[in-house]
Amino acid sequence: MGRNKRIGFVPTMGDLHAGHLSLIRRSKKENDSTVVSIFVNPLQFNQKKDYQSYHRDTRADLSALRKEGVDMVFLPSDQELYPDRFQTTVNVEGLTQGLCGAFRPGHFRGVATVVLKLFQIVQPARAYFGQKDYQQLKVIEKMVHDLNLPIEIVACPTVREKDGLALSSRNRRLSISEHKRASSIYATLRSVALFAQSHPASAVTSLRQLFYEGLDLSKGDRVEYFEVVHPDTLTTLKKIQTPFLLAAAVWIGKTRLIDNLLVNRNSK
Amino acid sequence: MGRNKRIGFVPTMGDLHAGHLSLIRRSKKENDSTVVSIFVNPLQFNQKKDYQSYHRDTRADLSALRKEGVDMVFLPSDQELYPDRFQTTVNVEGLTQGLCGAFRPGHFRGVATVVLKLFQIVQPARAYFGQKDYQQLKVIEKMVHDLNLPIEIVACPTVREKDGLALSSRNRRLSISEHKRASSIYATLRSVALFAQSHPASAVTSLRQLFYEGLDLSKGDRVEYFEVVHPDTLTTLKKIQTPFLLAAAVWIGKTRLIDNLLVNRNSK
């Protein structure tokens, strides 16, 4: 497909949910054709076990994509994207050091590398990413900018359950009671954001304490991180100053969930 | 320019010589239009001093390119390619460990990164590289393959002086007597190759000794490395076996020169 017909691209790891579908619908609106890739990228998993146990249901995914009227699905094999002697990686240095990057060494290098490869193969004019994976979105935007890729990155709002829990393929692993506890993540982010906005120059340590106190956790659950960062550079703030992003990773039982909340100068 | 009009691309650091012109002529033959870039890439210099003292003569370069009938010259500024907060790099891991890579940490990361950027900006169908910088050529080929770039890399033979010295922008730094000593590099590579072909299974240590003995060096000159490697993987060989590549870096006074000689199964 040439550059003249504008392609919208939605890269996924399959196990599609309404969040993915919102990206696809936006792409269909804005482009001549829409390509979706399904590839569980081994390069971005820190733990081999996590990669192997990643939930795959290609049949269900393809059926959903057919219903959405997607023009083309790209389903490469591992060997196709990572043949023997594969040895080239793309690294976005500064943005990947904090937040999830601090706990998942090599993760974003794997993400940047596979996304660059997919971009070269699919040759899209636009590519769609969800804001739920905020650091990933920023890493991809930075890669595109730094490497002069002629592609527009479109950031799409996080889709949530009615109780506020951000949609994620991992949510299916949650029991009913875990799901209930997990929904306290976003509720608490919202409370913390409201507090921060009404108490400008709050210390982040106080907000972190509020976050811990607001969560509805059980034994075995734990906060991996809670940070307040600048939304562009992802550098940590010590005192609240708009714009800022609240970002957290929380283990609910054996499931790691992330979420974030962006507060711009004008939001309330 | 779209993909339909096929662009040939010759990336250079300026200070053009007949080696560059041979790449440009080949590109003009094989493509609809030819783009040459001139950019002294700070990211690939290990030593800031070396970068600052790199010889630049853009006026002479542009005049030469005009004579060749090049369609477009891309002359970016440092700030244009590396704006503030630039932080994305491309790394080809295995191929960059030996030969020049062992002596110039980060050099090939800088080369791969800038070439990928230039490829994205220029969008060529083909790009032309000289075999004199053999490791660089292999790194670019590997990057293109590993990252699925839709670009054909065309390897072009080394252009030499009558006395055999490989053309290089650095040759201008040589005095007459240094030039004479430098010409012994290729002459000796040829003798060593002839010996190796008539003595299959020779030990590389013997060839290295021959190389040192054959060179015409003065006090202050020195061999940085002499290696025999597989031409594709660049892994070092211990015994001669075709195909093989002889590769060397030699300091003639304060000038570092590299050269190589490829022996395929059928060459003699």
Side-chain angles (χ1 to χ4, degrees):
Chain A
M1 283 187 269
R3 275 279 153 77
N4 303 334
K5 208 179 171 209
R6 292 178 74 84
I7 297 170
F9 177 44
V10 183
T12 81
M13 301 216 298
D15 210 1
L16 304 176
H17 52 64
H20 298 109
L21 301 187
S22 76
L23 306 180
I24 291 166
R25 285 168 196 168
R26 175 112 182 240
S27 170
K28 281 181 62 80
K29 246 185 234 166
E30 297 179 344
N31 301 280
D32 300 312
S33 61
T34 290
V35 176
V36 174
S37 65
I38 299 177
F39 180 64
V40 182
N41 176 29
L43 214 62
Q44 75 188 65
F45 285 83
N46 317 72
Q47 313 244 336
K48 203 170 178 182
K49 223 178 88 184
D50 193 19
Y51 166 67
Q52 285 161 340
S53 68
Y54 198 87
H55 188 267
R56 294 156 167 93
D57 189 347
T58 308
R59 183 181 291 229
D61 290 340
L62 290 177
S63 158
L65 295 176
R66 204 173 296 119
K67 252 187 225 160
E68 294 296 321
V70 161
D71 300 277
M72 197 182 290
V73 181
F74 182 47
L75 269 163
S77 67
D78 286 11
Q79 184 62 24
E80 192 173 347
L81 287 196
Y82 301 119
D84 296 344
R85 292 188 60 235
F86 177 88
Q87 55 186 229
T88 306
T89 55
V90 180
N91 198 26
V92 179
E93 278 154 27
L95 284 179
T96 58
Q97 278 162 15
L99 305 179
C100 292
F103 295 89
R104 306 186 67 185
H107 168 68
F108 288 111
R109 190 168 55 231
V111 170
T113 302
V114 80
V115 168
L116 180 61
K117 284 168 65 69
L118 293 168
F119 281 177
Q120 297 299 319
I121 294 167
V122 174
Q123 297 279 322
R126 295 195 188 86
Y128 296 78
F129 292 85
Q131 282 173 321
K132 203 265 283 177
D133 298 298
Y134 190 90
Q135 190 173 17
Q136 168 178 283
L137 168 67
K138 287 292 148 183
V139 166
I140 300 298
E141 283 179 349
K142 192 83 178 80
M143 173 182 78
V144 164
H145 181 258
D146 281 355
L147 297 183
N148 307 94
L149 308 185
I151 297 171
E152 183 190 342
I153 301 302
V154 182
C156 302
T158 303
V159 178
R160 300 182 178 280
E161 308 262 13
K162 275 189 189 153
D163 63 11
L165 179 62
L167 290 197
S168 161
S169 301
R170 293 163 182 243
N171 293 357
R172 67 160 68 241
R173 303 180 198 166
L174 301 171
S175 69
I176 293 173
S177 70
E178 284 177 333
H179 192 293
K180 193 166 166 295
R181 271 135 58 201
S183 71
S184 73
I185 299 170
Y186 185 60
T188 310
L189 286 176
R190 282 181 56 128
S191 311
V192 172
L194 283 171
F195 179 89
Q197 286 173 283
S198 53
H199 297 76
S202 294
V204 165
T205 49
S206 320
L207 301 185
R208 182 172 291 119
Q209 200 178 336
L210 276 180
F211 181 72
Y212 274 78
E213 287 170 5
L215 289 175
D216 168 28
L217 299 189
S218 278
K219 206 183 144 189
D221 301 340
R222 66 183 175 86
V223 177
E224 187 174 275
Y225 69 76
F226 167 86
E227 297 289 351
V228 185
V229 298
H230 188 283
D232 295 328
T233 61
L234 305 189
T235 47
T236 54
L237 304 179
K238 286 186 177 171
K239 289 197 167 195
I240 288 302
Q241 193 181 354
T242 52
F244 63 87
L245 180 90
L246 307 180
V250 179
W251 287 85
I252 300 293
K254 294 186 170 176
T255 306
R256 182 179 181 276
L257 300 171
I258 59 173
D259 205 348
N260 65 79
L261 198 157
L262 175 63
V263 179
N264 283 312
R265 222 166 296 266
N266 302 320
S267 40
K268 53 166 192 170
Chain B
M1 286 186 268
R3 272 282 151 75
N4 302 334
K5 207 178 172 211
R6 292 178 74 82
I7 297 170
F9 178 45
V10 183
T12 81
M13 300 214 299
D15 209 1
L16 304 176
H17 53 64
H20 298 108
L21 301 187
S22 77
L23 306 180
I24 291 166
R25 286 169 195 168
R26 175 112 182 238
S27 171
K28 280 182 61 81
K29 246 185 233 164
E30 297 179 345
N31 301 280
D32 299 312
S33 61
T34 290
V35 177
V36 174
S37 65
I38 299 177
F39 180 64
V40 181
N41 176 29
L43 215 61
Q44 73 189 66
F45 285 82
N46 317 72
Q47 313 245 333
K48 202 169 182 186
K49 221 177 89 184
D50 193 18
Y51 166 67
Q52 286 162 338
S53 68
Y54 198 87
H55 187 266
R56 295 155 167 92
D57 188 347
T58 308
R59 183 181 291 229
D61 290 340
L62 290 176
S63 159
L65 295 175
R66 205 173 294 120
K67 252 188 223 158
E68 294 294 323
V70 161
D71 299 278
M72 198 182 288
V73 181
F74 182 48
L75 269 163
S77 66
D78 286 12
Q79 186 59 22
E80 192 173 349
L81 287 195
Y82 301 119
D84 296 344
R85 290 188 64 233
F86 178 88
Q87 55 186 229
T88 307
T89 54
V90 181
N91 199 26
V92 179
E93 279 155 26
L95 284 179
T96 58
Q97 279 162 15
L99 304 179
C100 293
F103 295 89
R104 306 186 67 185
H107 168 68
F108 287 113
R109 189 168 57 230
V111 170
T113 302
V114 81
V115 169
L116 179 61
K117 283 169 64 70
L118 292 169
F119 282 177
Q120 297 298 320
I121 295 166
V122 175
Q123 297 278 325
R126 294 194 188 86
Y128 295 78
F129 292 86
Q131 282 174 321
K132 203 266 284 177
D133 298 298
Y134 190 90
Q135 191 175 15
Q136 169 177 283
L137 168 68
K138 287 293 148 181
V139 166
I140 300 298
E141 283 178 351
K142 193 81 178 85
M143 173 182 79
V144 164
H145 180 259
D146 281 356
L147 297 183
N148 307 91
L149 310 185
I151 297 173
E152 182 190 341
I153 301 302
V154 182
C156 301
T158 303
V159 178
R160 299 182 179 281
E161 308 262 13
K162 275 188 189 156
D163 62 10
L165 179 63
L167 291 196
S168 161
S169 302
R170 293 164 182 240
N171 293 358
R172 67 161 68 242
R173 302 182 198 165
L174 301 172
S175 69
I176 293 175
S177 69
E178 284 178 332
H179 193 292
K180 194 166 165 299
R181 272 137 55 203
S183 72
S184 73
I185 300 170
Y186 185 59
T188 309
L189 286 176
R190 282 181 57 128
S191 310
V192 172
L194 283 170
F195 179 89
Q197 286 174 284
S198 53
H199 299 76
S202 294
V204 164
T205 48
S206 320
L207 300 185
R208 184 172 289 121
Q209 201 179 335
L210 276 180
F211 181 72
Y212 274 78
E213 287 169 7
L215 289 175
D216 167 28
L217 299 188
S218 279
K219 206 183 147 189
D221 302 340
R222 67 185 174 85
V223 177
E224 187 173 277
Y225 69 76
F226 167 87
E227 297 288 350
V228 185
V229 299
H230 189 283
D232 296 328
T233 61
L234 304 189
T235 48
T236 54
L237 305 180
K238 287 186 177 171
K239 290 194 167 196
I240 290 300
Q241 194 182 352
T242 54
F244 63 86
L245 180 90
L246 307 180
V250 179
W251 288 84
I252 301 293
K254 293 188 170 175
T255 306
R256 183 179 180 275
L257 300 170
I258 58 171
D259 205 347
N260 65 80
L261 199 157
L262 175 62
V263 178
N264 284 311
R265 223 167 294 267
N266 302 321
S267 40
K268 54 168 193 171

